């Protein structure tokens, strides 16, 4: 059987994900003219996309490696996998809190220098351990900026470890709110987090508004000796400002998954090599979720977890017309008019917008000819039309 869909993998993708594709799919790194692309960290900004490309799925949460604006203009749906790596990141954040408190990393490195001291090691350890004293996290206050999938899990873990937790998220969803412990204090402003918390961890996407949100100005509002954690995106933090605050003692420690030249030269820094999602369980979860998103879109036109188009889905009823279009008035009536002229009846419809773009699904009865699809595609506001029979 000739494959119906071709999936190109730009990175090594877990077999747990690629095995989701059935016999009507060809999936691999050497696939040409793909219908969809699976990607992890490979940069796509300089890529030229074939007209056949319908979708890109990022096996992970961040999509900084994908040119979202270009994809939207070309009618390419971009998916990510929110929450699939949340537990892996949560565990690393908890480890970072402990490491930043007890000076464990420094202590381990110092202990290595005792090699060759023989019987004196025990006495030297007792004499030197005072240099690595640090506080317990139980009874301390943790501020979580961003209460998405990861932030919610971090809050639950911190509460179980005896911490008092404050959370800040002006875009808190209903689903997330239902999963959030009632013990979490809801901060109304970032300044409240800064003023009250001994530890602050950020879990927000990188946007123009959040870029370098941790800087000299925000640090000045924090408690003396605050410990900062960044396992979201490196550019959420102004590295030079954090390094200066570490040197002055305003910030007691900075733990991050995003090393850079400035941070690596600062004291009391624990920099990890982007380990947040580097677990086999996380890679499997992300790959499976990304593959299933592509399958649902390619076969049924349903969109879930897109970062550039709205979430729209409904059960299939016969032939389906999927339309990516600009969010302008009277667009739906234009579609209805074209289909009516072609003798096609709309049985069911779903449509949503997201900023300047919208997505509409039409389940229809009647022969959806090429002329009907071409007539819709010719409308000025339409970016892409696809018919699924």
């Amino acid at each position: 059987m000739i494959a119906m869909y071709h999936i190109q993998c730009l990175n090594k993708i877990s077999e747990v994900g690629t095995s989701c594709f059935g016999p009507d799919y060809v999936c691999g790194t050497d696939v040409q003219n793909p219908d969809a692309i699976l990607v992890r960290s490979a940069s796509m900004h300089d890529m030229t996309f074939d007209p056949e490309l319908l979708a890109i799925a990022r096996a992970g949460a961040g999509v900084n490696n994908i040119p979202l604006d270009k994809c939207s203009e070309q009618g390419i749906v971009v998916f990510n996998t929110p929450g699939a790596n949340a537990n892996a990141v949560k565990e690393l954040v908890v480890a970072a809190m402990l490491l930043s408190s007890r000076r464990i990393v420094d202590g381990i490195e110092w202990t290595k220098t005792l090699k060759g001291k023989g019987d004196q090691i025990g006495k030297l350890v007792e004499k030197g351990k005072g240099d690595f004293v640090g506080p317990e996290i139980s009874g301390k206050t943790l501020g979580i900026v961003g209460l998405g999938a990861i932030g919610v899990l971090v809050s639950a873990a911190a509460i179980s470890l005896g911490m008092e937790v404050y959370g800040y998220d002006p875009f808190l969803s209903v689903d997330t709110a239902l999963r959030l412990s009632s013990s979490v204090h809801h901060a109304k402003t970032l300044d409240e987090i800064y003023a009250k918390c001994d530890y602050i961890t950020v879990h927000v996407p990188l946007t123009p508004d959040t870029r370098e949100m941790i800087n000299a100005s925000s640090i000045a509002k924090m408690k003396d000796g605050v410990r900062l954690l960044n396992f979201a995106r490196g550019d959420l933090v102004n590295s030079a400002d954090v390094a200066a605050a570490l040197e002055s003692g305003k910030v007691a420690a900075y733990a991050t998954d995003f090393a850079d030249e400035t941070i690596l030269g600062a004291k009391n820094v624990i920099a990890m090599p982007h380990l947040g999602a580097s677990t086999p369980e996380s890679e499997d979860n992300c790959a499976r979720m990304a593959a299933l998103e592509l399958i649902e879109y390619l076969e049924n036109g349903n969109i879930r977890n897109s970062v550039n188009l709205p979430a729209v889905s409904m059960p299939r009823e016969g032939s389906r017309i999927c339309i990516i279009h600009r969010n302008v008035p009277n667009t739906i009536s234009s579609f209805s008019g074209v289909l009516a002229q072609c003798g096609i009846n709309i049985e069911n419809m779903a449509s949503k917008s997201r900023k300047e773009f919208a997505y509409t699904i039409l389940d229809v009865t009647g022969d959806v000819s090429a002329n009907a699809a071409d007539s819709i595609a010719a409308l000025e506001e339409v970016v892409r039309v696809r018919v699924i029979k």
Side-chain angles (χ1 to χ4, degrees):
M1 178 181 291
I2 298 175
M4 186 181 302
Y5 298 113
H6 294 75
I7 313 296
Q8 183 182 46
C9 299
L10 297 186
N11 299 101
K12 183 179 179 181
I13 303 295
S14 166
E15 188 177 348
V16 170
T18 57
S19 65
C20 293
F21 298 115
D24 293 339
Y25 288 80
V26 169
C27 179
T29 57
D30 57 349
V31 169
Q32 300 298 312
N33 302 318
D35 298 292
I37 291 175
L38 270 172
V39 62
R40 289 176 60 197
S41 59
S43 177
M44 303 181 69
H45 286 282
D46 295 329
M47 289 182 63
T48 299
F49 298 131
D50 293 324
E52 295 88 350
L53 185 65
L54 298 172
I56 298 168
R58 160 80 164 95
V63 290
N64 293 354
N65 56 322
I66 302 172
L68 298 182
D69 290 344
K70 182 167 74 171
C71 289
S72 298
E73 292 291 340
Q74 296 183 22
I76 300 168
V77 185
V78 180
F79 298 93
N80 70 343
T81 57
N85 62 4
N87 187 71
V89 178
K90 178 260 301 189
E91 290 186 359
L92 198 62
V93 171
V94 172
M97 280 197 293
L98 296 167
L99 292 172
S100 68
S101 292
R102 301 291 295 275
R103 299 199 64 194
I104 295 168
V105 174
D106 290 342
I108 291 171
E109 292 304 310
W110 175 79
T111 304
K112 291 178 182 179
T113 68
L114 302 180
K115 176 70 174 176
K117 302 295 184 180
D119 294 341
Q120 297 300 309
I121 291 177
K123 293 180 180 180
L124 292 170
V125 165
E126 291 303 315
K127 182 179 178 180
K129 68 181 183 181
D131 293 336
F132 308 103
V133 171
E136 299 176 16
I137 64 173
S138 180
K140 304 303 188 300
T141 304
L142 171 67
I144 303 174
V145 181
L147 293 169
I150 296 170
V152 169
L153 291 180
V154 170
S155 70
I159 290 168
S160 71
L161 291 168
M163 302 187 80
E164 186 174 9
V165 177
Y166 283 78
Y168 173 78
D169 192 333
F171 306 108
L172 185 66
S173 69
V174 174
D175 289 342
T176 300
L178 291 173
R179 290 185 282 114
L180 195 63
S181 169
S182 60
S183 297
V184 175
H185 303 285
H186 291 271
K188 294 182 174 59
T189 65
L190 279 172
D191 286 355
E192 186 178 354
I193 294 284
Y194 298 153
K196 291 183 175 179
C197 297
D198 305 301
Y199 300 76
I200 296 174
T201 180
V202 291
H203 298 285
V204 297
L206 179 63
T207 68
D209 291 333
T210 61
R211 183 177 294 274
E212 297 190 354
M213 63 181 292
I214 303 300
N215 53 42
S217 177
S218 58
I219 291 170
K221 300 175 184 178
M222 298 177 189
K223 297 173 70 171
D224 291 344
V226 67
R227 287 170 165 81
L228 301 177
L229 300 94
N230 176 19
F231 288 79
R233 282 293 177 264
D235 287 341
L236 296 172
V237 168
N238 182 304
S239 295
D241 289 353
V242 170
L246 287 163
E247 186 63 32
S248 71
K250 175 69 177 181
V251 174
Y254 176 52
T256 183
D257 219 10
F258 305 96
D260 63 35
E261 189 69 23
T262 301
I263 285 301
L264 290 176
K267 71 175 185 179
N268 295 332
V269 167
I270 300 170
M272 303 178 193
H274 203 183
L275 297 177
S278 295
T279 68
E281 295 88 350
S282 174
E283 292 182 6
D284 288 349
N285 290 340
C286 289
R288 181 190 299 108
M289 188 172 178
L292 293 176
E293 289 167 348
L294 289 181
I295 291 170
E296 186 63 23
Y297 180 64
L298 294 175
E299 295 185 7
N300 297 309
N302 291 326
I303 294 180
R304 300 188 181 100
N305 298 320
S306 172
V307 295
N308 67 330
L309 287 170
V312 182
S313 62
M314 65 180 186
R316 280 276 301 274
E317 295 182 10
S319 296
R320 173 164 286 187
I321 304 173
C322 305
I323 310 167
I324 299 173
H325 55 95
R326 300 191 184 279
N327 183 22
V328 297
N330 301 318
T331 303
I332 304 298
S333 60
S334 298
F335 302 157
S336 302
V338 169
L339 295 178
Q341 290 178 2
C342 296
I344 297 170
N345 187 52
I346 298 174
E347 296 291 337
N348 203 0
M349 179 184 73
S351 183
K352 290 183 180 179
S353 62
R354 182 171 183 170
K355 296 182 179 179
E356 65 265 37
F357 289 94
Y359 183 59
T360 298
I361 298 174
L362 304 171
D363 281 355
V364 301
T365 55
D367 181 24
V368 185
S369 65
N371 288 337
D374 290 344
S375 295
I376 293 176
L379 296 172
E380 183 179 358
E381 60 270 24
V382 171
V383 178
R384 185 169 213 153
V385 178
R386 187 161 64 103
V387 177
I388 305 174
K389 296 184 178 181

